[in-house]
Amino acid sequence: MKSMLIKTALVLAGVLVLSSCEKWPFNGPKQEYLEWKFINTTDRNLYFNFDPADERKIMSAGKLNPLMVYNIKKGNDPDFYILYKMLVDKPFYVYLDETSDPVRVWKRSEKEEPGKQFFNESSWILRKDQREIADYLWIFEIAPEDLE
């Protein structure tokens, strides 16, 4: 538990430091920075992972929570589906706490099903070059109705 708190604190410290920068400091003129984040709009912290055997990571209530970052060569099309390539065919599990069964599971095979789908780009919000850290930032909202 202590090591998870330390890891979480380090990640949050990194996000805070980087969010104070106008642009990702390591982006050269030949790179663009892609980022995927969650926003948890419920009134409680949630937990997630991509394999039930893995440690659950916290998704803080009311905050943007980092998922993945990736650099591409400038001029290449920013591809949302890089996320797929990195996750292979792993489902996205959401939990109410550190010991409960999943309250929601999104599977790549269900990406074309009606409703919000984690693996469907149309369920994400895209922000492009709005003087944030990333040149392309995709945000997936997890709302109370997603947990029913």
Side-chain angles (χ1 to χ4, degrees):
M1 180 69 175
K2 186 177 179 181
S3 68
M4 186 174 98
L5 289 174
I6 292 170
K7 288 178 187 176
T8 302
L10 289 172
V11 169
L12 291 174
V15 169
L16 289 174
V17 168
L18 294 176
S19 65
S20 66
C21 301
E22 183 176 318
K23 281 285 189 190
W24 175 249
F26 304 110
N27 265 11
K30 297 180 181 180
Q31 296 181 30
E32 290 185 305
Y33 182 60
L34 313 180
E35 187 169 10
W36 292 259
K37 291 186 175 189
F38 307 110
I39 187 161
N40 172 5
T41 59
T42 70
D43 61 355
R44 63 183 298 165
N45 289 341
L46 299 171
Y47 296 82
F48 75 95
N49 62 25
F50 295 94
D51 182 334
D54 290 345
E55 181 179 352
R56 296 176 186 185
K57 297 173 182 82
I58 193 165
M59 196 182 327
S60 299
K63 297 187 178 184
L64 280 174
N65 297 271
L67 173 61
M68 189 177 94
V69 295
Y70 195 82
N71 279 355
I72 62 169
K73 184 177 178 182
K74 195 170 190 107
N76 287 358
D77 288 331
D79 184 3
F80 168 82
Y81 295 102
I82 289 170
L83 179 68
Y84 284 6
K85 295 170 190 161
M86 301 304 275
L87 295 175
V88 189
D89 284 325
K90 296 179 180 180
F92 174 53
Y93 298 89
V94 178
Y95 307 87
L96 295 177
D97 57 48
E98 292 182 271
T99 59
S100 66
D101 290 333
V103 67
R104 181 69 191 256
V105 179
W106 277 286
K107 297 177 182 176
R108 185 173 174 181
S109 61
E110 299 170 348
K111 75 177 190 143
E112 300 302 328
E113 298 291 321
K116 185 187 296 181
Q117 297 296 332
F118 179 81
F119 291 100
N120 188 323
E121 183 177 9
S122 67
S123 294
W124 291 69
I125 300 163
L126 172 61
R127 294 186 185 167
K128 295 191 315 189
D129 198 22
Q130 296 181 346
R131 303 185 69 81
E132 296 189 31
I133 296 171
D135 295 294
Y136 296 88
L137 171 63
W138 286 275
I139 301 170
F140 187 77
E141 177 187 6
I142 298 179
E145 59 268 17
D146 297 324
L147 307 178
E148 297 172 355

